[in-house]
Amino acid sequence: MIDETVEEISEMQTHSSSVVAVKAAQALRVLTDREYPTVEDYLRSLNRNSSALRRANPSHASLHTTQHRIVNAVSDAEPENVATAKELTIEAIDDVIDSVESAKDRAAARAVSEIADDDVLLTHDFSSTVLAAIDDAIEAGHSFEVYVTESRPRFIGRKMARHLSERDGIDVTLIVDSAAGHFMPQIDRVLVGMDCIVDDTLYNRIGTYPIATAAADNDVPVTVVGSAAKYVDGAFAFENEIRSPSEVLREPADGFEVANPAYDATPTHLLDTVVTDDGIHEY
């Protein structure tokens, strides 16, 4: 199961970083069903498999922080036997999953205050936290018009558009990424998720930076919503993922190169607010 999860994360079949963190945490449960002669053998296996999960996507800060949290919770307790180490692992996994899911829910609930009724929103990519925030706003009686970018080249935004179209009180328009500037004068607020914020930089799905730039030029506020755990310091070095050229061009490139980065960097001075489970941060 761990190898399958590593492959799934590396191929980005799961798009939400919070879901990735939960899946990776759950994958470690399989270790508690295996036999180990000593505590040292178990801890080595736990650390080795956790490292494999982290390496599967070096750009996901939440994946790294939650995996370190699980491993450290077990290792720092200095378990006397394998059975105790397994119990500590299960407790740490449950704690991480509960923390990730509850943080997302709290961040989404806070974001409702940033969204006015009848707002025209623009969102980019797929974010389960943004989707939860809109759901909370709908439950509060709000209605919206939402423009959703396709998020090329993998068209992840289409998934967001389909989810939103199932909600009552929302008019959804799917647009190509390059049309965001064209529609920006009609937008009241840009609402996006985040992979992570490191120092003064938001790292998020490629295309976020030009959207934030167009929003700034049109005086449209940009709100980012996500878990506070995605605010990271210098201990985490963001590493962009360069994906296969085949996602952009099906046939082989002849005489030219194809570049396909997964994320871009948006300076936080282009943002208005970042909403997390621990509060609203203004820029």
Side-chain angles (χ1 to χ4, degrees):
M1 177 180 175
I2 289 178
D3 289 343
E4 293 174 0
T5 304
V6 167
E7 183 177 358
E8 180 180 357
I9 292 172
S10 63
E11 292 179 355
M12 283 297 289
Q13 294 174 8
T14 302
H15 306 302
S16 170
S17 60
S18 60
V19 175
V20 167
V22 168
K23 278 185 172 289
Q26 290 174 331
L28 293 177
R29 289 189 193 276
V30 70
L31 301 180
T32 64
D33 294 327
R34 299 174 182 174
E35 297 298 324
Y36 298 88
T38 66
V39 173
E40 290 72 23
D41 288 320
Y42 178 81
L43 294 178
R44 277 195 294 270
S45 179
L46 176 63
N47 188 62
R48 183 175 64 253
N49 283 281
S50 178
S51 295
L53 288 164
R54 294 195 302 271
R55 288 195 303 272
N57 194 319
S59 64
H60 271 332
S62 54
L63 170 63
H64 286 248
T65 56
T66 51
Q67 285 293 309
H68 280 299
R69 182 172 162 184
I70 293 170
V71 172
N72 292 340
V74 180
S75 300
D76 293 349
E78 299 182 353
E80 296 181 355
N81 52 60
V82 175
T84 301
K86 290 180 177 180
E87 291 175 1
L88 289 167
T89 302
I90 293 173
E91 291 174 2
I93 290 170
D94 290 342
D95 182 58
V96 158
I97 292 174
D98 179 68
S99 176
V100 170
E101 293 180 342
S102 62
K104 179 175 70 174
D105 291 341
R106 291 195 302 273
R110 286 186 185 275
V112 174
S113 65
E114 296 293 286
I115 310 172
D117 193 15
D118 296 325
D119 261 359
V120 179
L121 305 175
L122 185 144
T123 190
H124 179 58
D125 189 45
F126 178 87
S127 166
S128 60
T129 312
V130 168
L131 188 61
I134 292 176
D135 280 339
D136 286 348
I138 292 172
E139 289 183 11
H142 296 185
S143 60
F144 306 98
E145 183 177 354
V146 184
Y147 285 83
V148 184
T149 56
E150 284 187 312
S151 190
R152 296 188 176 198
R154 303 193 68 230
F155 305 107
I156 302 171
R158 293 179 182 180
K159 176 182 176 182
M160 189 68 165
R162 292 189 183 100
H163 277 280
L164 289 172
S165 68
E166 297 170 354
R167 273 69 174 171
D168 293 330
I170 300 183
D171 294 325
V172 182
T173 302
L174 182 69
I175 63 174
V176 297
D177 295 355
S178 54
H182 172 79
F183 289 102
M184 195 61 70
Q186 305 174 35
I187 305 300
D188 294 310
R189 183 175 298 273
V190 173
L191 182 64
V192 296
M194 63 172 162
D195 186 74
C196 63
I197 292 180
V198 183
D199 297 326
D200 296 322
T201 303
L202 163 69
Y203 294 99
N204 198 47
R205 183 68 57 187
I206 193 75
T208 303
Y209 179 37
I211 289 173
T213 302
D217 193 49
N218 286 270
D219 294 322
V220 175
V222 177
T223 293
V224 178
V225 58
S227 166
K230 295 180 180 180
Y231 262 105
V232 292
D233 55 25
F236 173 75
F238 180 85
E239 182 179 336
N240 206 340
E241 178 187 5
I242 306 302
R243 298 191 56 81
S244 171
S246 65
E247 294 179 351
V248 178
L249 192 67
R250 291 184 178 181
E251 66 271 18
D254 186 10
F256 58 91
E257 299 293 327
V258 176
N260 186 20
Y263 303 95
D264 60 16
T266 301
T268 54
H269 70 76
L270 292 176
L271 310 178
D272 286 82
T273 54
V274 175
V275 183
T276 71
D277 47 299
D278 68 0
I280 298 177
H281 309 265
E282 296 184 353
Y283 287 89

